[in-house]
Coordinates of all heavy atoms in Angstrom, one line a residue:
M1 N -28.9 -1.4 27.1 CA -28.5 -2.3 26.1 C -28.6 -1.6 24.7 O -27.8 -1.7 23.8 CB -29.2 -3.6 26.1 CG -28.7 -4.6 25.2 SD -26.9 -5.0 25.5 CE -27.0 -6.7 25.8
Q2 N -29.7 -0.8 24.6 CA -29.9 -0.1 23.3 C -28.8 0.9 23.0 O -28.4 1.0 21.9 CB -31.3 0.7 23.4 CG -31.7 1.4 22.1 CD -31.9 0.4 21.0 OE1 -32.3 -0.7 21.2 NE2 -31.7 0.9 19.8
D3 N -28.3 1.5 24.1 CA -27.1 2.4 23.9 C -25.9 1.7 23.3 O -25.2 2.3 22.4 CB -26.7 3.1 25.2 CG -27.8 4.1 25.7 OD1 -28.6 4.5 24.9 OD2 -27.8 4.3 26.9
Y4 N -25.7 0.5 23.7 CA -24.6 -0.3 23.2 C -24.7 -0.5 21.7 O -23.8 -0.3 20.9 CB -24.5 -1.6 23.9 CG -23.5 -2.6 23.3 CD1 -22.2 -2.5 23.5 CD2 -24.0 -3.6 22.5 CE1 -21.3 -3.3 23.0 CE2 -23.1 -4.5 22.0 CZ -21.7 -4.4 22.2 OH -20.8 -5.2 21.6
F5 N -25.9 -0.9 21.3 CA -26.1 -1.2 19.9 C -26.0 0.1 19.0 O -25.5 0.1 17.9 CB -27.5 -1.9 19.6 CG -27.5 -3.3 20.1 CD1 -28.3 -3.7 21.2 CD2 -26.7 -4.3 19.5 CE1 -28.3 -5.0 21.6 CE2 -26.7 -5.6 20.0 CZ -27.5 -5.9 21.0
E6 N -26.5 1.2 19.6 CA -26.4 2.5 18.9 C -24.9 2.9 18.7 O -24.5 3.4 17.7 CB -27.1 3.5 19.6 CG -28.6 3.4 19.5 CD -29.4 4.4 20.4 OE1 -28.8 5.3 21.0 OE2 -30.6 4.3 20.4
E7 N -24.1 2.6 19.8 CA -22.7 2.9 19.7 C -22.0 2.0 18.6 O -21.1 2.5 17.9 CB -22.0 2.8 21.1 CG -22.3 3.9 22.0 CD -21.9 5.3 21.5 OE1 -20.7 5.4 21.0 OE2 -22.7 6.2 21.6
V8 N -22.3 0.8 18.6 CA -21.7 -0.2 17.7 C -22.1 0.3 16.2 O -21.3 0.3 15.3 CB -22.2 -1.6 17.9 CG1 -21.8 -2.5 16.8 CG2 -21.6 -2.1 19.2
Y9 N -23.4 0.6 16.1 CA -23.9 1.0 14.7 C -23.1 2.3 14.3 O -22.7 2.4 13.2 CB -25.4 1.3 14.8 CG -25.9 1.8 13.5 CD1 -26.0 0.9 12.4 CD2 -26.4 3.1 13.4 CE1 -26.5 1.4 11.2 CE2 -26.9 3.6 12.2 CZ -27.0 2.7 11.1 OH -27.4 3.2 9.9
K10 N -23.0 3.2 15.2 CA -22.3 4.5 14.9 C -20.8 4.2 14.5 O -20.3 4.8 13.6 CB -22.3 5.4 16.1 CG -21.6 6.7 15.9 CD -21.7 7.6 17.2 CE -20.8 8.8 17.0 NZ -20.7 9.5 18.3
A11 N -20.1 3.3 15.3 CA -18.7 3.0 15.0 C -18.6 2.3 13.6 O -17.7 2.7 12.9 CB -18.2 2.1 16.1
L12 N -19.5 1.4 13.3 CA -19.5 0.8 12.0 C -19.7 1.7 10.9 O -19.1 1.7 9.8 CB -20.5 -0.4 12.0 CG -20.2 -1.6 12.8 CD1 -21.3 -2.6 12.8 CD2 -18.9 -2.3 12.2
R13 N -20.7 2.6 11.1 CA -21.0 3.6 10.1 C -19.8 4.5 9.8 O -19.4 4.8 8.7 CB -22.2 4.5 10.5 CG -23.1 4.8 9.4 CD -24.4 5.6 9.9 NE -24.1 6.7 10.8 CZ -24.7 6.8 12.0 NH1 -25.6 5.9 12.4 NH2 -24.3 7.8 12.8
E14 N -19.1 4.9 10.9 CA -17.9 5.8 10.8 C -16.8 5.0 10.1 O -16.0 5.6 9.2 CB -17.4 6.3 12.1 CG -18.3 7.3 12.7 CD -17.9 7.7 14.1 OE1 -16.9 7.1 14.7 OE2 -18.6 8.5 14.8
F15 N -16.6 3.8 10.4 CA -15.6 2.9 9.8 C -15.8 2.8 8.3 O -14.9 3.0 7.5 CB -15.5 1.6 10.4 CG -14.6 0.6 9.7 CD1 -13.2 0.7 10.0 CD2 -15.0 -0.3 8.8 CE1 -12.3 -0.2 9.3 CE2 -14.2 -1.2 8.2 CZ -12.8 -1.1 8.4
H16 N -17.0 2.5 7.9 CA -17.3 2.3 6.5 C -17.3 3.6 5.7 O -17.2 3.6 4.5 CB -18.6 1.5 6.3 CG -18.5 0.1 6.7 ND1 -17.7 -0.8 6.1 CD2 -19.0 -0.5 7.8 CE1 -17.8 -2.0 6.7 NE2 -18.6 -1.8 7.7
A17 N -17.5 4.7 6.4 CA -17.5 6.0 5.7 C -16.1 6.4 5.3 O -15.9 7.2 4.4 CB -18.1 7.1 6.6
Q18 N -15.1 5.9 6.1 CA -13.7 6.2 5.7 C -13.3 5.3 4.6 O -13.8 4.2 4.4 CB -12.8 6.0 7.0 CG -13.2 6.9 8.1 CD -12.4 6.6 9.4 OE1 -11.5 5.7 9.3 NE2 -12.7 7.2 10.5
D19 N -12.3 5.8 3.9 CA -11.8 5.0 2.8 C -10.6 4.1 3.3 O -9.5 4.4 3.1 CB -11.3 5.9 1.6 CG -11.1 5.2 0.3 OD1 -11.6 4.0 0.2 OD2 -10.5 5.7 -0.6
K20 N -11.0 3.1 4.1 CA -10.0 2.3 4.7 C -9.4 1.2 3.8 O -8.3 0.7 4.1 CB -10.6 1.6 6.0 CG -10.9 2.5 7.1 CD -9.7 2.8 7.9 CE -10.1 3.6 9.1 NZ -9.0 4.0 9.9
L21 N -10.1 0.7 2.9 CA -9.7 -0.4 2.0 C -9.2 0.2 0.7 O -9.8 1.0 0.1 CB -10.8 -1.3 1.8 CG -11.4 -2.0 3.0 CD1 -12.6 -2.9 2.6 CD2 -10.4 -2.8 3.8
K22 N -8.1 -0.3 0.3 CA -7.5 0.0 -1.0 C -6.7 -1.2 -1.5 O -6.3 -2.0 -0.7 CB -6.7 1.3 -1.0 CG -5.5 1.2 -0.1 CD -4.8 2.6 -0.2 CE -3.6 2.6 0.7 NZ -2.9 3.9 0.6
P23 N -6.5 -1.4 -2.8 CA -5.9 -2.6 -3.3 C -4.4 -2.6 -3.0 O -3.7 -1.5 -2.9 CB -6.1 -2.5 -4.8 CG -6.3 -1.1 -5.1 CD -7.0 -0.5 -3.9
L24 N -3.9 -3.8 -2.7 CA -2.5 -4.0 -2.6 C -2.1 -5.0 -3.7 O -2.6 -6.1 -3.8 CB -2.2 -4.7 -1.2 CG -0.8 -5.2 -1.0 CD1 0.3 -4.1 -1.1 CD2 -0.7 -6.0 0.3
Y25 N -1.2 -4.6 -4.5 CA -0.7 -5.4 -5.7 C 0.6 -6.1 -5.3 O 1.5 -5.5 -4.8 CB -0.5 -4.5 -6.9 CG -1.8 -3.9 -7.3 CD1 -2.0 -2.5 -7.0 CD2 -2.7 -4.5 -8.1 CE1 -3.2 -1.9 -7.4 CE2 -3.9 -3.9 -8.5 CZ -4.1 -2.6 -8.1 OH -5.3 -2.0 -8.5
M26 N 0.6 -7.4 -5.4 CA 1.8 -8.2 -5.0 C 2.2 -9.1 -6.2 O 1.3 -9.7 -6.9 CB 1.4 -9.1 -3.8 CG 1.0 -8.3 -2.6 SD 0.8 -9.4 -1.1 CE -0.4 -10.5 -1.7
L27 N 3.5 -9.2 -6.3 CA 4.0 -10.2 -7.3 C 4.6 -11.3 -6.3 O 5.4 -11.0 -5.5 CB 5.1 -9.6 -8.1 CG 5.9 -10.6 -8.9 CD1 5.1 -11.2 -10.0 CD2 7.1 -9.8 -9.6
I28 N 4.1 -12.5 -6.5 CA 4.6 -13.6 -5.6 C 5.2 -14.7 -6.5 O 4.8 -14.9 -7.7 CB 3.4 -14.2 -4.8 CG1 2.4 -14.8 -5.6 CG2 2.8 -13.1 -3.9 CD1 1.4 -15.7 -4.8
K29 N 6.1 -15.4 -5.9 CA 6.7 -16.6 -6.5 C 6.3 -17.8 -5.6 O 6.5 -17.7 -4.4 CB 8.2 -16.4 -6.6 CG 8.9 -17.7 -7.1 CD 10.4 -17.5 -7.0 CE 11.1 -18.8 -7.3 NZ 11.9 -19.3 -6.2
V30 N 5.8 -18.8 -6.2 CA 5.4 -20.0 -5.5 C 6.3 -21.1 -6.0 O 6.3 -21.4 -7.2 CB 3.9 -20.3 -5.7 CG1 3.5 -21.6 -5.0 CG2 3.1 -19.1 -5.3
D31 N 7.0 -21.8 -5.1 CA 7.8 -22.9 -5.5 C 6.9 -24.1 -5.5 O 6.2 -24.4 -4.5 CB 9.0 -23.2 -4.5 CG 10.0 -22.1 -4.6 OD1 10.3 -21.7 -5.8 OD2 10.6 -21.7 -3.6
V32 N 6.9 -24.9 -6.6 CA 5.9 -26.0 -6.8 C 6.7 -27.3 -7.1 O 7.8 -27.2 -7.6 CB 4.9 -25.7 -7.9 CG1 4.0 -24.5 -7.5 CG2 5.6 -25.5 -9.2
D33 N 6.1 -28.4 -6.8 CA 6.7 -29.7 -7.1 C 6.7 -29.9 -8.6 O 5.6 -29.8 -9.3 CB 5.8 -30.8 -6.4 CG 6.4 -32.2 -6.6 OD1 7.1 -32.4 -7.6 OD2 6.0 -33.0 -5.8
A34 N 7.9 -30.1 -9.2 CA 8.0 -30.3 -10.6 C 7.2 -31.5 -11.2 O 6.9 -31.5 -12.4 CB 9.5 -30.4 -11.0
G35 N 6.9 -32.4 -10.3 CA 6.2 -33.6 -10.7 C 4.7 -33.3 -10.9 O 3.9 -34.0 -11.5
I36 N 4.2 -32.2 -10.2 CA 2.8 -31.8 -10.2 C 2.6 -30.7 -11.3 O 1.6 -30.8 -12.1 CB 2.4 -31.3 -8.8 CG1 2.4 -32.5 -7.8 CG2 1.0 -30.7 -8.9 CD1 2.2 -32.0 -6.4
V37 N 3.5 -29.7 -11.3 CA 3.4 -28.6 -12.3 C 4.5 -28.8 -13.3 O 5.6 -28.4 -13.0 CB 3.4 -27.3 -11.6 CG1 3.3 -26.1 -12.6 CG2 2.3 -27.1 -10.5
Y38 N 4.2 -29.4 -14.4 CA 5.3 -29.7 -15.4 C 5.1 -29.1 -16.8 O 5.9 -29.2 -17.6 CB 5.4 -31.2 -15.5 CG 4.1 -31.9 -15.8 CD1 3.5 -32.0 -17.0 CD2 3.3 -32.4 -14.7 CE1 2.3 -32.6 -17.3 CE2 2.1 -33.0 -14.9 CZ 1.6 -33.1 -16.2 OH 0.4 -33.7 -16.4
D39 N 4.0 -28.3 -17.0 CA 3.8 -27.7 -18.2 C 2.8 -26.5 -18.0 O 2.3 -26.2 -16.9 CB 3.3 -28.6 -19.3 CG 1.9 -29.2 -19.0 OD1 1.2 -28.8 -18.1 OD2 1.5 -30.1 -19.8
Q40 N 2.6 -25.7 -19.1 CA 1.8 -24.5 -19.0 C 0.3 -24.8 -18.5 O -0.2 -24.1 -17.7 CB 1.8 -23.8 -20.3 CG 1.1 -22.4 -20.3 CD 1.8 -21.4 -19.3 OE1 3.0 -21.3 -19.4 NE2 1.0 -20.8 -18.5
C41 N -0.2 -25.9 -19.0 CA -1.6 -26.3 -18.7 C -1.7 -26.6 -17.2 O -2.6 -26.1 -16.5 CB -2.0 -27.5 -19.5 SG -3.7 -28.0 -19.2
E42 N -0.8 -27.3 -16.6 CA -0.8 -27.6 -15.2 C -0.5 -26.4 -14.4 O -1.0 -26.2 -13.3 CB 0.2 -28.7 -14.9 CG -0.2 -30.1 -15.5 CD -1.5 -30.5 -15.0 OE1 -1.9 -30.5 -13.8 OE2 -2.3 -31.0 -15.9
A43 N 0.3 -25.5 -14.9 CA 0.6 -24.2 -14.2 C -0.7 -23.3 -14.2 O -1.0 -22.7 -13.1 CB 1.7 -23.4 -14.9
D44 N -1.5 -23.3 -15.3 CA -2.7 -22.6 -15.3 C -3.7 -23.1 -14.2 O -4.2 -22.4 -13.4 CB -3.5 -22.8 -16.6 CG -2.8 -22.1 -17.8 OD1 -1.9 -21.2 -17.5 OD2 -3.1 -22.5 -18.9
K45 N -3.8 -24.5 -14.1 CA -4.7 -25.1 -13.1 C -4.2 -24.8 -11.7 O -4.9 -24.4 -10.8 CB -4.7 -26.6 -13.3 CG -5.4 -27.1 -14.5 CD -5.4 -28.6 -14.6 CE -5.7 -29.1 -15.9 NZ -5.5 -30.6 -16.0
Y46 N -2.9 -24.9 -11.5 CA -2.3 -24.7 -10.1 C -2.5 -23.2 -9.7 O -2.9 -23.0 -8.6 CB -0.8 -25.1 -10.1 CG -0.2 -25.1 -8.7 CD1 -0.2 -26.2 -8.0 CD2 0.3 -23.9 -8.1 CE1 0.3 -26.3 -6.7 CE2 0.8 -23.9 -6.9 CZ 0.8 -25.1 -6.1 OH 1.3 -25.1 -4.9
A47 N -2.2 -22.3 -10.6 CA -2.3 -20.9 -10.3 C -3.8 -20.5 -9.9 O -4.0 -19.8 -9.0 CB -1.8 -20.0 -11.4
T48 N -4.7 -21.0 -10.7 CA -6.1 -20.8 -10.5 C -6.5 -21.3 -9.1 O -7.2 -20.6 -8.3 CB -6.9 -21.3 -11.6 OG1 -6.5 -20.7 -12.9 CG2 -8.4 -21.1 -11.4
N49 N -6.2 -22.6 -8.9 CA -6.6 -23.2 -7.6 C -6.0 -22.5 -6.4 O -6.6 -22.3 -5.4 CB -6.3 -24.7 -7.6 CG -7.2 -25.5 -8.6 OD1 -8.3 -25.1 -8.9 ND2 -6.7 -26.6 -9.1
H50 N -4.7 -22.2 -6.6 CA -4.0 -21.5 -5.5 C -4.7 -20.2 -5.1 O -4.9 -19.9 -4.0 CB -2.5 -21.3 -5.9 CG -1.8 -20.5 -4.8 ND1 -1.3 -21.1 -3.7 CD2 -1.4 -19.2 -4.8 CE1 -0.7 -20.1 -3.0 NE2 -0.7 -19.0 -3.6
C51 N -4.9 -19.4 -6.1 CA -5.5 -18.1 -5.9 C -7.0 -18.2 -5.3 O -7.3 -17.5 -4.4 CB -5.5 -17.3 -7.2 SG -3.8 -16.8 -7.6
N52 N -7.7 -19.2 -5.8 CA -9.1 -19.4 -5.3 C -9.0 -19.8 -3.8 O -9.8 -19.3 -3.0 CB -9.8 -20.5 -6.1 CG -10.2 -20.0 -7.5 OD1 -10.3 -18.8 -7.7 ND2 -10.5 -20.9 -8.4
N53 N -8.1 -20.7 -3.5 CA -8.0 -21.2 -2.1 C -7.5 -20.1 -1.2 O -7.9 -20.0 0.0 CB -7.0 -22.4 -2.0 CG -7.7 -23.6 -2.6 OD1 -8.9 -23.7 -2.6 ND2 -6.8 -24.5 -3.1
M54 N -6.6 -19.2 -1.7 CA -6.1 -18.1 -0.8 C -6.9 -16.8 -0.9 O -6.5 -15.8 -0.3 CB -4.6 -17.8 -1.2 CG -3.7 -19.0 -1.1 SD -3.6 -19.7 0.6 CE -2.7 -18.4 1.4
E55 N -8.0 -16.9 -1.7 CA -8.8 -15.7 -1.9 C -8.1 -14.5 -2.5 O -8.3 -13.4 -2.2 CB -9.5 -15.3 -0.6 CG -10.4 -16.4 -0.1 CD -11.2 -16.0 1.2 OE1 -11.0 -14.8 1.7 OE2 -11.9 -16.8 1.7
Y56 N -7.2 -14.9 -3.5 CA -6.6 -13.8 -4.3 C -7.3 -13.7 -5.6 O -8.1 -14.6 -6.0 CB -5.1 -14.3 -4.7 CG -4.1 -14.5 -3.6 CD1 -3.1 -15.3 -3.8 CD2 -4.2 -13.8 -2.4 CE1 -2.1 -15.5 -2.9 CE2 -3.2 -14.0 -1.5 CZ -2.2 -14.8 -1.7 OH -1.2 -15.0 -0.7
E57 N -7.1 -12.6 -6.3 CA -7.6 -12.5 -7.6 C -6.4 -12.7 -8.6 O -5.4 -12.0 -8.5 CB -8.2 -11.1 -7.9 CG -8.7 -10.9 -9.3 CD -9.3 -9.6 -9.5 OE1 -9.5 -8.8 -8.6 OE2 -9.6 -9.3 -10.7
L58 N -6.5 -13.7 -9.4 CA -5.5 -14.1 -10.4 C -5.6 -13.1 -11.5 O -6.6 -13.0 -12.2 CB -5.6 -15.5 -10.8 CG -4.6 -16.0 -11.9 CD1 -3.2 -15.9 -11.3 CD2 -4.9 -17.3 -12.4
V59 N -4.5 -12.4 -11.8 CA -4.5 -11.4 -12.9 C -3.6 -12.0 -14.0 O -4.0 -12.0 -15.2 CB -3.9 -10.1 -12.4 CG1 -3.8 -9.1 -13.6 CG2 -4.8 -9.4 -11.4
D60 N -2.5 -12.6 -13.7 CA -1.6 -13.1 -14.7 C -0.7 -14.1 -14.0 O -0.4 -14.0 -12.8 CB -0.8 -12.0 -15.4 CG -0.1 -12.5 -16.6 OD1 -0.4 -13.6 -17.1 OD2 0.7 -11.7 -17.2
H61 N -0.1 -15.0 -14.8 CA 0.9 -15.9 -14.2 C 1.9 -16.2 -15.3 O 1.7 -16.0 -16.5 CB 0.3 -17.2 -13.6 CG -0.3 -18.1 -14.6 ND1 -1.5 -17.8 -15.2 CD2 0.2 -19.2 -15.2 CE1 -1.8 -18.8 -16.1 NE2 -0.8 -19.6 -16.1
Y62 N 3.1 -16.7 -14.9 CA 4.1 -17.0 -15.9 C 4.8 -18.3 -15.5 O 5.2 -18.5 -14.3 CB 5.1 -15.9 -15.9 CG 6.4 -16.2 -16.7 CD1 6.3 -16.2 -18.1 CD2 7.6 -16.4 -16.1 CE1 7.5 -16.4 -18.8 CE2 8.7 -16.6 -16.8 CZ 8.7 -16.6 -18.2 OH 9.8 -16.9 -18.9
Y63 N 4.9 -19.2 -16.4 CA 5.6 -20.5 -16.1 C 6.8 -20.6 -17.1 O 6.6 -20.8 -18.3 CB 4.6 -21.7 -16.4 CG 5.2 -23.0 -16.1 CD1 5.3 -23.5 -14.9 CD2 5.6 -23.8 -17.2 CE1 5.9 -24.7 -14.6 CE2 6.2 -25.1 -17.0 CZ 6.3 -25.5 -15.7 OH 6.9 -26.8 -15.4
P64 N 8.0 -20.5 -16.5 CA 9.2 -20.5 -17.4 C 9.5 -21.9 -17.9 O 9.4 -22.8 -17.2 CB 10.3 -20.0 -16.5 CG 9.8 -20.3 -15.1 CD 8.3 -20.2 -15.1
D65 N 9.8 -22.0 -19.2 CA 10.2 -23.3 -19.8 C 11.6 -23.6 -19.3 O 12.0 -24.8 -19.3 CB 10.1 -23.2 -21.3 CG 8.7 -23.1 -21.7 OD1 7.8 -23.6 -21.0 OD2 8.4 -22.5 -22.8
S66 N 12.4 -22.6 -19.1 CA 13.8 -22.9 -18.6 C 14.0 -21.9 -17.4 O 13.3 -21.0 -17.2 CB 14.8 -22.6 -19.7 OG 14.7 -21.2 -20.1
E67 N 15.0 -22.3 -16.6 CA 15.3 -21.5 -15.4 C 15.7 -20.0 -15.8 O 16.6 -19.8 -16.6 CB 16.4 -22.1 -14.6 CG 16.6 -21.4 -13.2 CD 17.5 -22.2 -12.3 OE1 17.6 -23.4 -12.5 OE2 18.1 -21.5 -11.5
Q68 N 15.0 -19.1 -15.2 CA 15.2 -17.7 -15.5 C 15.2 -16.9 -14.2 O 14.6 -17.4 -13.2 CB 14.2 -17.1 -16.5 CG 14.2 -17.9 -17.8 CD 13.0 -17.4 -18.7 OE1 12.4 -16.4 -18.4 NE2 12.8 -18.1 -19.7
Y69 N 15.7 -15.7 -14.2 CA 15.8 -14.9 -13.0 C 15.1 -13.5 -13.3 O 15.8 -12.6 -13.6 CB 17.2 -14.7 -12.5 CG 17.8 -16.1 -12.2 CD1 18.6 -16.7 -13.2 CD2 17.6 -16.7 -11.0 CE1 19.1 -18.0 -12.9 CE2 18.1 -17.9 -10.7 CZ 18.9 -18.6 -11.6 OH 19.4 -19.8 -11.3
P70 N 13.8 -13.5 -13.3 CA 13.1 -12.2 -13.6 C 13.3 -11.2 -12.4 O 13.6 -11.7 -11.3 CB 11.6 -12.6 -13.7 CG 11.5 -13.9 -12.9 CD 12.8 -14.6 -13.0
Y71 N 13.2 -10.0 -12.7 CA 13.3 -9.0 -11.7 C 12.4 -7.8 -12.0 O 11.9 -7.7 -13.1 CB 14.8 -8.5 -11.5 CG 15.2 -7.7 -12.8 CD1 15.1 -6.4 -12.9 CD2 15.8 -8.4 -13.8 CE1 15.5 -5.7 -14.0 CE2 16.2 -7.8 -15.0 CZ 16.1 -6.4 -15.1 OH 16.4 -5.7 -16.2
I72 N 12.1 -7.0 -11.0 CA 11.3 -5.8 -11.2 C 12.2 -4.6 -11.0 O 12.9 -4.5 -10.0 CB 10.2 -5.8 -10.1 CG1 9.3 -7.0 -10.3 CG2 9.4 -4.5 -10.3 CD1 8.2 -7.1 -9.3
A73 N 12.1 -3.7 -11.9 CA 12.9 -2.5 -11.8 C 11.9 -1.3 -11.7 O 10.9 -1.3 -12.3 CB 13.9 -2.3 -13.0
K74 N 12.3 -0.3 -11.0 CA 11.5 0.9 -10.9 C 11.7 1.8 -12.1 O 12.7 1.8 -12.7 CB 11.8 1.7 -9.6 CG 11.3 1.0 -8.4 CD 11.5 1.9 -7.2 CE 10.9 1.2 -6.0 NZ 11.0 2.0 -4.8

């Protein structure tokens, strides 16, 4: 049994020695109920709660006052 634990410990040490984790940056759009999120203050609350529940880190958010079609260009 001791050999098993030594092998597990060795595997874990090798895994953590490698640089396996790196950040993934995502831009997401979340469709929300207009009756719940109706102004910037409510958008702040919703974005914060959403990210906390999903274990995201909230960096920035945008709540358009009118319908817009943002895009990302390289």
Side-chain angles (χ1 to χ4, degrees):
M1 191 58 124
Q2 184 64 27
D3 291 339
Y4 171 76
F5 289 115
E6 287 175 6
E7 287 298 315
V8 169
Y9 177 71
K10 179 183 172 187
L12 286 171
R13 219 177 44 233
E14 289 174 1
F15 174 79
H16 291 292
Q18 299 173 7
D19 197 14
K20 292 277 185 184
L21 300 177
K22 59 183 183 179
L24 169 63
Y25 299 98
M26 299 185 303
L27 171 66
I28 64 168
K29 175 185 172 243
V30 179
D31 291 322
V32 296
D33 184 336
I36 296 172
V37 180
Y38 49 85
D39 64 8
Q40 186 63 48
C41 182
E42 294 302 315
D44 292 343
K45 291 179 196 174
Y46 189 92
T48 300
N49 289 335
H50 175 79
C51 291
N52 288 341
N53 289 333
M54 300 301 290
E55 297 183 1
Y56 297 154
E57 180 180 349
L58 178 63
V59 176
D60 195 9
H61 68 281
Y62 173 70
Y63 181 77
D65 294 330
S66 60
E67 189 170 331
Q68 299 175 13
Y69 301 94
Y71 64 92
I72 298 175
K74 289 186 176 184

